[in-house]
Amino acid sequence: MWLTPEEVLLKNALKLWALERSNEYFVLQRRRGYGEEGGGGGGLAGLLVGTLDAVLDSTSKVAPFRILHQTPDSQVYWSIACGASREEITEHWEWLEQNVMKTLSVFDSSEDITSFVQGKIRGLIAEEGKGSLIKEEDPEKFREAHLKFEKCFGLAQQEKLVTYYSCSYWRGRVPCQGWLYLSTNFLSFYSFLLGAEVKLILSWDEISKLEKTSNVILTESIHVCAHGEDHYFSMFMHISETFLLMEQLALFAVRRLFDKETFESDPILHDPLQITKRGLESRAHSEQFNAFFRLPREESLREVHECFLWVPFSHYNTLGKMCISDNYICFASQDGSLCCVVIPQREVVAAEMADPASKVVSLSTKGNRIFRFSEVRDFEQLVMKLRSKCDAMVMSHHALSAEVAAGPSLDSPLDDYEGKPMASHKGSSQTVSTEALMTVFHPQDVENLDAKMLKEKMKEQSWNILFIECGRGVSMFRTRKTRDLIVRGIPEVLRGELWLLFSGAVNDMAVNPGYYSELVEKSLGTCTLATDEIERDLRRSLPEHPAFQSDTGISALRRVLTAYAYRNPKIGYCQAMNILTSVLLLYAKEEEAFWLLVAVCERMLPDYFNRRIIGALVDQAVFEELIRDYLPQLTEHTTDMTFFSSVSLSWFLTLFISVLPIESAVNVVDCFFYDGIKAILQLGLAVLDYNMDRLLACKDDAEAVTVLNRFFDSVANKDSPLPPAVQQASGANESRSQHRKVDITDLIRESNEKYGEIRFEDVESMRRRNRLYVIQTLETTTKQNVLRVISQDVKISPHDLEELYELYKKEHFLSCYWSVNSPALKHHDPSLPYLDQYRIDCQQFRVLYHLLSPWAHCANRDSLALWTFRLLDENLDGLINFKEFACALDVMYYGSFTHKLKFLFKLHIPPAFTEVESLSPSKGAHLSKEELIYFSQLNVSSAGDSEVSDASKRSPDKGKGKVDIQAYLKQWQDELLKKEENIKDLPRMDQFQFIQFSKTLYNLFHGDPEEELLYRAIATVTTLLLKMEEVGRRLQSPTSPVKSVAPPAADFGAGNDSKPQEAPAPQRTVNTGPPSPSKASGEWSFAFEQILASLLNEPALVRFFEKPVDVQAKLEKAKASQLKARARV
């Protein structure tokens, strides 16, 4: 590797470096202890130098060879190149001799020579950097680290190093000082201290736990758990930065490999080769920023300024951070709850420098509101940027206004849409509803105000006072007083407006005018699995509420759910969405309810509403963690914490709507839209705390569930203005319940007082940490189910089968690591039955075959791998699952002589067999990826084709948009009823196929201790079979002269030096392709019984095939070499 020329001090360097080559202008040196003659490693010098190289952060730590530039008249040396191997440094040396040495003689002074060499080297580095992935602040230092990373771990060249750190890795109680390398797919550590080398490689997809910990020995460390093994890293200079990057890389791998539903909607990380340290840090900060301020996920945090914001109603400046993205200016005070404001750029009309002495930035927004930020760093540049954005907004607004004025009159997209005919759904309304259902079905009676309505009016008045102080609308100040009013419950008339504001849905709706109307129109008449499920659940959504006993409410619910399923087909429709949307429609207009649903499903409760409800499982894991921290009595009493997960699932999925009366549940939704999932977690803790004594007295889970259900029946909202006919809490429930009535307001207030210290940042951190654990738990469940099913059909031991599964799964991941948009990513589908969730293609199978098959030493091993794959791929989809893979290896490992021979026989007849060697005699040993894919997908005309075609048609996941469960059950039943294949049912092997079969046997015997004996045995068998066939044809056609055919033994063993010379040479007269059934009757063929009977007469052949295989050794060797094998591919 060429290095930026740097001056080197050689006073004591000869103690560490040895001279290899030199000339008038250059010196090639070798690091002492590397490449010593005799392989001793240089004795003590080698140990000391290796230790220095591992610990010190210097150029010398990188490579054992270097080239220095010198001039005859100077004592100054310059390092210009280094190399990890003698071959690499020799290549650089020869280049210098051929391209630079001849030119240097024309210069007169040593200064000119040095300047020329430095310029030449810098030009080479610049040329290399054009296609380089390295985009770091210190590219020279990073290049050195990248070189050592490649040298130490031998990963594929496409593996992108993101960053590296000096740290200690703890092995027991002994720390090893070395280097931690973080790349796109691996966490790697290397240390070399006094002759002891420590090398660790963990792929991110293996990690189930990643957290910062501290104990007596390790004050602060990073704990990594993979495959049940714990690893600790400490002594970081910047542990928070390191942990942040590790977390981002682990979550990226999880999304890309396990949870593609969310990954596919995330274009930022779609190309792993473009990941950088700076990009990961920026992404992490943007995600935190968007989650805290409830902004669209597309927003990127650009600037953060620590400053003061003038709070006019309190008459003081509050210290905090101003966060600026492309479309929003946000501010949060230091404690996060004292003051918070979100200012959309579209609302800003002017930006000014009000007081240069105090570095004041003044923003004026629509509605004549002014926000005053002081002590802003670089305030002048900030004002210039904000002004340019304001000007751009104004110009775009004017252009849009001109277009609207030129076009037809349009008051609002929604108003224009009103009156258009809707879908021909049975009983659907003809227009989009523009009123909240509560205002239609329960209008307030202003003249007759009872006590509850008076309290409701007092609430409204409190909010109106708050609006006067803090402003109303998207840019209102959010303070502790706002939270206090939220806890008391939002007034019915303001609920929709404030839900829209606090959730951030108001911004989505503002920047997407008319989007919902267009979506409704496009989704009308569509018929999918989602729309079928929606129709089924429409009448189950708050059926006791009058709004959903009428056509108006049902139609609005149908439109919102169908439009969202059309917008986001990855989620489509999930149960619990109907209950949530019903409540949203009660208090928000139809379009507003749609955007609220978008905010909940895509931002506030990510990954809740998909096939595996991963988001809900993650939050339940967070809930369990909080229970252990805040309610230790329950933890000590409960042996199985999963009880809390099972009982609380509906709490999270429906925001307590399914367990609380509707008049109480809406207060919970109020808090959720203001505080996010933190409000649900706090309320869950309060519910368990309130019932602590009863839960501790329970003897089993059923009794505990009963206690909680009775408690929820007793929760009421004494201030609810809803009429009694709508309220779900009744006097009958109170008389049956052992609990006294609990007011929801008191319960929410208690949850805030006891658990309000739980910070938003802590919850998000726990979510990220538990996401790894949840997904790995789901993967473990999948593995256990697959192994349980397959273990009944194979002789491989459970432990070996588990190891085989890990290798199989690892091969899938390795093929996804180093290619953008790898097609192998689509081979994993968690929505399919367990056996089909992971499947591999022919290329992946070939790599595993070479690693695991006892026949992989065969000269035509690529052909064998291809034919085996074609035999296993019964439905011709180009993929096989783990059961098919394991059953094939089971035959190779533990099959009897007959089973192994039958397996080989089937490999050499259609549909498995296809001619490969006609392209080139060596093609059987080495097939390119393209050739392998071509041959694996090549259909072979055979008698069984119709059956295979039928099987393909019957396959439940072929050519359909959804999985046919009944077809899978039918397929499963057919497999259970499938009888043992009779050897008499096998088709006959023709002449060409028999030749290939015999060649394969010859190749299998190569290198065996009884190789000569086996060759003679197979020659005897082939001769006997051919004579038997010749006699049989003469008996069938006595009048037809038959040309004698000699046994083709010598041809079968072509390429083997040790083949028996006495075997007669064959007279091969076949075509290059397999013969068709219409060939002349003169060609011979064999039945499997004939071949089996002949081979059984040769004890050497029987011994060879019944020789036991050391499966554990095979698996261990495969595990050790799998990564390097894939890197070569």
Side-chain angles (χ1 to χ4, degrees):
M1 179 178 75
W2 299 110
L3 302 175
T4 302
E6 185 176 338
E7 195 171 330
V8 176
L9 182 65
L10 287 185
K11 183 177 181 180
N12 297 314
L14 294 179
K15 297 178 181 178
L16 299 176
W17 294 90
L19 184 66
E20 289 276 303
R21 295 188 189 181
S22 67
N23 57 38
E24 190 176 359
Y25 299 105
F26 300 102
V27 176
L28 192 159
Q29 295 179 333
R30 170 182 49 80
R31 189 78 161 162
R32 291 191 185 275
Y34 290 93
E36 299 281 359
E37 293 298 328
L44 182 60
L47 293 180
L48 291 174
V49 171
T51 299
L52 284 171
D53 291 352
V55 176
L56 298 180
D57 182 12
S58 64
T59 303
S60 63
K61 81 176 195 303
V62 175
F65 298 94
R66 70 177 182 179
I67 297 176
L68 304 179
H69 164 61
Q70 64 172 356
T71 54
D73 302 332
S74 174
Q75 297 299 314
V76 178
Y77 287 75
W78 299 84
S79 64
I80 60 172
C82 67
S85 64
R86 194 180 298 274
E87 292 76 15
E88 181 185 1
I89 205 69
T90 302
E91 184 181 342
H92 285 358
W93 180 267
E94 291 175 352
W95 188 91
L96 289 170
E97 287 184 330
Q98 295 172 9
N99 298 279
V100 178
M101 284 289 295
K102 297 176 182 178
T103 310
L104 297 182
S105 60
V106 304
F107 292 101
D108 296 329
S109 67
S110 59
E111 290 81 3
D112 292 341
I113 292 173
T114 301
S115 297
F116 175 79
V117 171
Q118 290 181 356
K120 192 72 175 175
I121 300 302
R122 287 193 177 96
L124 290 171
I125 294 173
E127 192 66 28
E128 286 180 355
K130 289 181 179 179
S132 173
L133 298 173
I134 298 169
K135 299 176 182 177
E136 299 299 319
E137 295 177 358
D138 189 353
E140 182 64 33
K141 192 175 179 182
F142 194 83
R143 286 171 75 242
E144 294 176 5
H146 197 278
L147 182 68
K148 184 175 183 183
F149 171 69
E150 291 179 338
K151 169 178 172 269
C152 290
F153 303 105
L155 301 173
Q157 291 183 350
Q158 297 92 333
E159 182 63 17
K160 171 78 186 310
L161 178 64
V162 176
T163 189
Y164 62 102
Y165 298 96
S166 173
C167 71
S168 292
Y169 170 58
W170 291 78
R171 305 182 73 186
R173 296 192 175 186
V174 181
C176 302
Q177 184 66 27
W179 293 89
L180 179 71
Y181 298 90
L182 306 181
S183 58
T184 49
N185 299 297
F186 297 95
L187 178 157
S188 312
F189 177 84
Y190 182 81
S191 172
F192 184 85
L193 292 175
L194 298 177
E197 185 181 54
V198 178
K199 188 183 295 186
L200 175 72
I201 302 178
L202 298 175
S203 59
W204 295 113
D205 54 80
E206 297 172 342
I207 294 176
S208 59
K209 183 180 288 186
L210 180 64
E211 60 184 354
K212 282 195 289 186
T213 60
S214 60
N215 54 40
V216 177
I217 300 176
L218 304 176
T219 54
E220 204 171 21
S221 64
I222 295 176
H223 172 210
V224 178
C225 181
H227 290 304
E229 296 183 9
D230 294 315
H231 307 273
Y232 292 90
F233 302 90
S234 66
M235 303 291 288
F236 289 98
M237 290 290 291
H238 307 287
I239 191 168
S240 296
E241 173 193 296
T242 308
F243 180 75
L244 176 72
L245 292 173
M246 291 171 72
E247 194 174 56
Q248 285 285 304
L249 285 167
L251 290 172
F252 159 68
V254 161
R255 287 178 181 171
R256 184 166 190 254
L257 301 174
F258 294 116
D259 192 19
K260 296 181 291 298
E261 290 180 348
T262 57
F263 181 84
E264 287 173 0
S265 62
D266 190 351
I268 298 174
L269 292 180
H270 220 64
D271 184 358
L273 299 179
Q274 300 304 316
I275 296 176
T276 62
K277 174 185 172 183
R278 187 183 303 171
L280 287 172
E281 290 174 341
S282 174
R283 178 181 177 81
H285 294 145
S286 294
E287 286 176 348
Q288 295 171 5
F289 165 71
N290 293 336
F292 184 82
F293 292 106
R294 309 281 164 73
L295 300 179
R297 289 195 295 183
E298 297 77 25
E299 286 299 308
S300 296
L301 181 61
R302 301 300 182 189
E303 299 178 51
V304 178
H305 300 273
E306 192 169 279
C307 61
F308 292 89
L309 173 63
W310 174 251
V311 185
F313 49 88
S314 299
H315 303 288
Y316 71 89
N317 281 309
T318 179
L319 177 63
K321 290 184 178 179
M322 177 168 59
C323 305
I324 302 175
S325 68
D326 296 327
N327 300 297
Y328 297 89
I329 303 164
C330 305
F331 179 89
S333 57
Q334 279 188 328
D335 64 355
S337 61
L338 183 63
C339 178
C340 178
V341 66
V342 177
I343 309 170
Q345 296 266 12
R346 64 179 183 274
E347 295 289 318
V348 179
V349 294
E352 300 174 353
M353 290 179 285
D355 183 3
S358 300
K359 301 179 181 178
V360 174
V361 176
S362 178
L363 300 180
S364 301
T365 64
K366 298 173 184 177
N368 298 321
R369 299 189 62 200
I370 296 177
F371 296 88
R372 189 174 184 272
F373 301 91
S374 58
E375 300 300 328
V376 181
R377 179 173 47 86
D378 300 329
F379 72 105
E380 294 178 346
Q381 291 89 334
L382 178 60
V383 169
M384 295 296 293
K385 291 177 185 175
L386 294 176
R387 279 179 179 171
S388 63
K389 286 188 177 181
C390 287
D391 295 340
M393 291 270 186
V394 170
M395 291 179 64
S396 63
H397 179 71
H398 287 328
L400 183 62
S401 300
E403 288 180 14
V404 171
S409 177
L410 185 65
D411 294 334
S412 74
L414 196 59
D415 294 339
D416 180 68
Y417 189 77
E418 215 171 300
K420 289 187 179 180
M422 296 296 290
S424 56
H425 280 300
K426 188 175 180 179
S428 72
S429 173
Q430 294 298 309
T431 60
V432 172
S433 174
T434 56
E435 293 292 336
L437 295 179
M438 196 62 79
T439 61
V440 176
F441 288 88
H442 305 293
Q444 292 187 4
D445 187 355
V446 182
E447 297 180 358
N448 301 317
L449 296 178
D450 56 12
K452 290 185 177 181
M453 284 304 301
L454 284 173
K455 282 188 177 181
E456 186 75 3
K457 289 298 178 183
M458 290 173 64
K459 281 186 186 178
E460 290 179 30
Q461 188 61 29
S462 298
W463 277 94
N464 288 330
I465 294 171
L466 181 73
F467 290 148
I468 293 171
E469 293 180 352
C470 302
R472 185 169 185 171
V474 68
S475 300
M476 75 175 289
F477 283 89
R478 304 171 196 186
T479 63
R480 288 199 179 115
K481 188 175 180 181
T482 311
R483 183 186 301 279
D484 293 340
L485 291 178
I486 292 285
V487 169
R488 289 169 53 190
I490 299 176
E492 300 278 312
V493 295
L494 295 175
R495 190 160 265 143
E497 175 189 341
L498 294 178
W499 284 358
L500 207 66
L501 172 63
F502 296 140
S503 67
V506 63
N507 295 311
D508 293 325
M509 194 166 76
V511 298
N512 294 285
Y515 175 80
Y516 174 67
S517 302
E518 295 173 5
L519 213 56
V520 169
E521 188 173 12
K522 290 177 181 177
S523 63
L524 292 182
T526 57
C527 184
T528 62
L529 181 62
T531 57
D532 293 343
E533 293 176 347
I534 289 169
E535 289 297 323
R536 184 189 63 204
D537 288 346
L538 285 176
R539 303 288 173 179
R540 304 177 188 175
S541 310
L542 300 185
E544 68 285 344
H545 199 286
F548 298 101
Q549 296 170 358
S550 71
D551 174 60
T552 304
I554 293 294
S555 298
L557 181 61
R558 176 188 290 118
R559 287 193 293 270
V560 172
L561 292 175
T562 306
Y564 185 79
Y566 188 86
R567 164 192 165 86
N568 192 343
K570 293 292 180 186
I571 292 178
Y573 170 77
C574 182
Q575 282 190 337
M577 288 174 67
N578 60 319
I579 298 174
L580 177 61
T581 308
S582 301
V583 175
L584 298 178
L585 282 167
L586 289 178
Y587 295 98
K589 298 174 183 177
E590 189 175 317
E591 184 178 14
E592 294 172 346
F594 169 79
W595 287 113
L596 283 169
L597 183 64
V598 170
V600 171
C601 295
E602 298 176 12
R603 286 202 303 273
M604 301 184 74
L605 298 179
D607 304 336
Y608 263 58
F609 304 99
N610 57 24
R611 295 184 184 99
R612 298 194 291 175
I613 56 171
I614 288 175
L617 296 177
V618 169
D619 283 342
Q620 285 181 299
V622 172
F623 188 49
E624 287 182 20
E625 196 172 329
L626 292 173
I627 292 172
R628 282 190 285 268
D629 292 340
Y630 289 94
L631 303 174
Q633 308 97 306
L634 273 181
T635 308
E636 295 167 4
H637 176 75
T638 308
T639 56
D640 186 7
M641 289 292 289
T642 56
F643 162 74
F644 298 108
S645 297
S646 59
V647 78
S648 64
L649 180 59
S650 62
W651 305 356
F652 290 94
L653 282 173
T654 66
L655 308 179
F656 282 93
I657 296 170
S658 62
V659 293
L660 286 175
I662 183 64
E663 64 276 8
S664 301
V666 291
N667 284 36
V668 179
V669 179
D670 294 342
C671 298
F672 168 74
F673 279 125
Y674 191 79
D675 275 331
I677 194 62
K678 176 174 172 283
I680 305 300
L681 294 167
Q682 289 177 181
L683 185 60
L685 291 173
V687 168
L688 296 179
D689 187 29
Y690 192 94
N691 294 278
M692 178 74 72
D693 296 336
R694 294 184 181 88
L695 290 172
L696 293 177
C698 292
K699 296 181 178 62
D700 54 33
D701 292 352
E703 191 175 346
V705 171
T706 303
V707 166
L708 292 173
N709 287 338
R710 287 176 178 171
F711 169 76
F712 288 129
D713 287 341
S714 69
V715 175
N717 187 350
K718 62 183 181 182
D719 297 330
S720 174
L722 294 179
V726 174
Q727 294 193 26
Q728 294 176 346
S730 62
N733 289 340
E734 184 177 6
S735 63
R736 289 198 309 266
S737 176
Q738 299 175 5
H739 293 271
R740 60 181 177 82
K741 281 292 181 183
V742 180
D743 187 64
I744 187 63
T745 305
D746 296 335
L747 189 63
I748 292 174
R749 184 180 291 111
E750 184 179 342
S751 72
N752 273 274
E753 291 172 355
K754 286 189 174 182
Y755 311 109
E757 65 187 36
I758 299 173
R759 298 166 60 244
F760 162 81
E761 293 83 359
D762 296 334
V763 172
E764 290 300 313
S765 176
M766 286 190 284
R767 271 180 156 181
R768 291 192 294 272
R769 182 169 66 249
N770 282 286
R771 187 180 188 85
L772 297 174
Y773 166 75
V774 165
I775 288 186
Q776 292 297 348
T777 302
L778 291 172
E779 289 298 306
T780 301
T781 303
T782 298
K783 178 177 72 174
Q784 290 171 347
N785 282 285
V786 169
L787 297 181
R788 188 177 65 251
V789 171
I790 297 176
S791 61
Q792 303 170 9
D793 300 330
V794 297
K795 297 177 183 177
I796 303 174
S797 69
H799 177 267
D800 290 346
L801 191 62
E802 184 174 356
E803 294 287 332
L804 190 63
Y805 180 85
E806 293 295 343
L807 284 165
Y808 172 90
K809 181 177 164 184
K810 189 67 180 176
E811 180 57 34
H812 164 77
F813 288 150
L814 288 172
S815 59
C816 299
Y817 284 165
W818 298 303
S819 58
V820 182
N821 299 327
S822 170
L825 284 169
K826 299 177 182 178
H827 301 168
H828 173 224
D829 187 351
S831 66
L832 294 176
Y834 289 123
L835 283 175
D836 290 328
Q837 286 190 13
Y838 285 101
R839 293 175 294 172
I840 58 174
D841 59 22
C842 195
Q843 170 71 3
Q844 295 164 313
F845 176 79
R846 173 170 64 173
V847 176
L848 287 172
Y849 184 89
H850 291 175
L851 290 172
L852 295 166
S853 173
W855 303 337
H857 66 279
C858 189
N860 63 333
R861 61 180 190 167
D862 272 9
S863 294
L864 277 180
L866 169 66
W867 298 334
T868 305
F869 182 84
R870 288 173 59 87
L871 179 66
L872 300 177
D873 183 21
E874 294 182 357
N875 59 2
L876 300 179
D877 63 350
L879 300 170
I880 62 170
N881 61 30
F882 179 69
K883 182 179 180 181
E884 295 162 337
F885 175 76
C887 289
L889 284 179
D890 185 60
V891 172
M892 298 181 202
Y893 289 157
Y894 296 107
S896 64
F897 174 78
T898 303
H899 283 106
K900 288 180 180 178
L901 194 65
K902 182 172 73 172
F903 188 78
L904 278 171
F905 183 88
K906 291 170 70 175
L907 294 183
H908 293 81
I909 59 174
F913 180 78
T914 181
E915 171 54 29
V916 173
E917 296 183 7
S918 61
L919 299 177
S920 169
S922 63
K923 279 297 178 187
H926 302 289
L927 291 172
S928 69
K929 181 179 178 181
E930 292 73 20
E931 290 169 342
L932 197 69
I933 294 173
Y934 168 75
F935 284 120
S936 68
Q937 297 174 347
L938 192 67
N939 290 330
V940 178
S941 177
S942 69
D945 271 0
S946 59
E947 296 177 11
V948 172
S949 178
D950 291 342
S952 177
K953 291 176 182 177
R954 291 195 303 268
S955 182
D957 56 343
K958 296 286 166 272
K960 296 186 178 181
K962 56 187 180 183
V963 176
D964 188 344
I965 302 299
Q966 289 186 344
Y968 268 113
L969 291 173
K970 178 68 167 62
Q971 193 179 56
W972 185 34
Q973 184 182 25
D974 292 343
E975 288 181 3
L976 291 175
L977 296 175
K978 192 182 294 183
K979 296 180 180 179
E980 181 70 22
E981 186 179 36
N982 194 320
I983 59 175
K984 294 183 179 180
D985 298 332
L986 293 173
R988 294 175 69 86
M989 181 180 281
D990 66 27
Q991 176 179 338
F992 181 75
Q993 294 158 3
F994 180 73
I995 292 173
Q996 293 294 330
F997 175 75
S998 301
K999 279 185 176 183
T1000 298
L1001 291 179
Y1002 267 89
N1003 290 329
L1004 286 177
F1005 302 152
H1006 182 64
D1008 191 88
E1010 296 185 329
E1011 183 175 3
E1012 289 291 333
L1013 191 59
L1014 288 167
Y1015 282 154
R1016 290 192 180 94
I1018 196 63
T1020 302
V1021 168
T1022 51
T1023 304
L1024 176 63
L1025 285 170
L1026 290 168
K1027 287 180 177 179
M1028 288 171 55
E1029 182 66 16
E1030 186 175 347
V1031 170
R1033 284 183 298 157
R1034 284 178 176 174
L1035 291 174
Q1036 291 177 1
S1037 307
T1039 57
S1040 302
V1042 179
K1043 188 177 180 179
S1044 177
V1045 182
D1051 189 46
F1052 300 157
N1056 295 319
D1057 297 334
S1058 58
K1059 65 177 182 277
Q1061 298 300 318
E1062 66 274 13
Q1067 302 295 322
R1068 182 175 170 184
T1069 57
V1070 298
N1071 293 330
T1072 56
S1076 65
S1078 60
K1079 288 278 185 180
S1081 60
E1083 291 195 352
W1084 32 265
S1085 64
F1086 300 104
F1088 176 71
E1089 302 99 297
Q1090 293 175 287
I1091 297 175
L1092 175 63
S1094 302
L1095 292 175
L1096 281 171
N1097 289 324
E1098 298 294 331
L1101 293 173
V1102 176
R1103 284 196 304 272
F1104 175 82
F1105 282 105
E1106 292 191 342
K1107 192 186 327 180
V1109 178
D1110 190 345
V1111 178
Q1112 289 188 353
K1114 199 77 177 172
L1115 292 172
E1116 288 299 324
K1117 185 178 179 181
K1119 284 168 63 177
S1121 56
Q1122 184 179 27
L1123 191 58
K1124 291 182 179 179
R1126 172 49 69 172
R1128 287 194 298 269
V1129 173

